[in-house]
Amino acid sequence: MFDMGKRICKLRRDAHLSQKQLGEKIGKSASTIGSYENDTAVPTLENAAALAEALHVSLDYLLYGEKSRTLPLQKMSENRVQLLTDLAQEFAAPTSHGAAFSDRKLDILRRLYQDFIVKSIGCSACLPPVGADTLLRSRTIFCHLRRFCRFR
């Protein structure tokens, strides 16, 4: 049974979007979105790809219901895409177990710290450089996070 329309409707509602809002995201009218949801029209491949991107799912999921979430990476720098890829790979296949941190985990933590905290403040001189030993001291990290939140 072809139920792409039901998936579009559910995903749109889950995203708290009206048909008009989703239509604006992909350059189509609310009535067009409604016709897709009611299975009275089938989106072109280009429109289906735009819908999948706007709803943060894969085209496979939109068309066939195969669960595979996506992240919008188009506007991210190559460094951030690589960081997210490394993080996802570490979650999928951890390089160490227990309390010990592998060199890979420490590198990911260092890069997260630099990218999301230091760059958000816009001043790397505001916070001291971070080595592996500093990252392992949670008190230091929380101190930096409190300091970061005060500057926001």
Side-chain angles (χ1 to χ4, degrees):
M1 186 167 144
F2 193 70
D3 56 355
M4 180 173 62
K6 290 178 185 175
R7 273 190 295 283
I8 293 170
C9 184
K10 181 180 180 339
L11 289 165
R12 176 183 59 77
R13 288 180 178 164
D14 289 348
H16 305 290
L17 295 171
S18 66
Q19 289 179 340
K20 180 180 179 187
Q21 290 169 321
L22 180 57
E24 288 171 352
K25 284 181 172 270
I26 69 162
K28 296 293 171 189
S29 68
S31 63
T32 299
I33 300 300
S35 64
Y36 294 161
E37 290 181 356
N38 294 320
D39 288 323
T40 56
V42 177
T44 63
L45 183 56
E46 181 181 320
N47 291 338
L51 282 166
E53 183 178 334
L55 296 169
H56 305 294
V57 295
S58 69
L59 192 53
D60 285 345
Y61 178 73
L62 193 65
L63 296 174
Y64 307 112
E66 296 174 11
K67 204 71 161 153
S68 175
R69 293 281 188 187
T70 63
L71 295 173
L73 303 176
Q74 294 80 3
K75 296 180 182 178
M76 288 189 192
S77 68
E78 281 299 315
N79 288 338
R80 283 191 172 178
V81 170
Q82 186 60 50
L83 178 58
L84 287 173
T85 301
D86 292 346
L87 191 58
Q89 288 172 348
E90 186 62 34
F91 276 120
T95 54
S96 67
H97 300 284
F101 277 52
S102 66
D103 288 341
R104 180 178 168 92
K105 283 183 180 176
L106 289 172
D107 180 58
I108 291 170
L109 285 172
R110 179 188 54 76
R111 290 166 42 214
L112 279 168
Y113 176 86
Q114 289 175 337
D115 196 79
F116 291 104
I117 295 178
V118 174
K119 287 183 181 177
S120 293
I121 292 173
C123 173
S124 60
C126 299
L127 298 174
V130 176
D133 58 332
T134 306
L135 280 173
L136 291 176
R137 286 186 255 139
S138 60
R139 173 181 263 173
T140 303
I141 289 176
F142 289 125
C143 176
H144 291 310
L145 287 172
R146 277 195 300 267
R147 189 187 236 178
F148 166 69
C149 291
R150 245 185 288 150
F151 285 116
R152 300 282 306 162

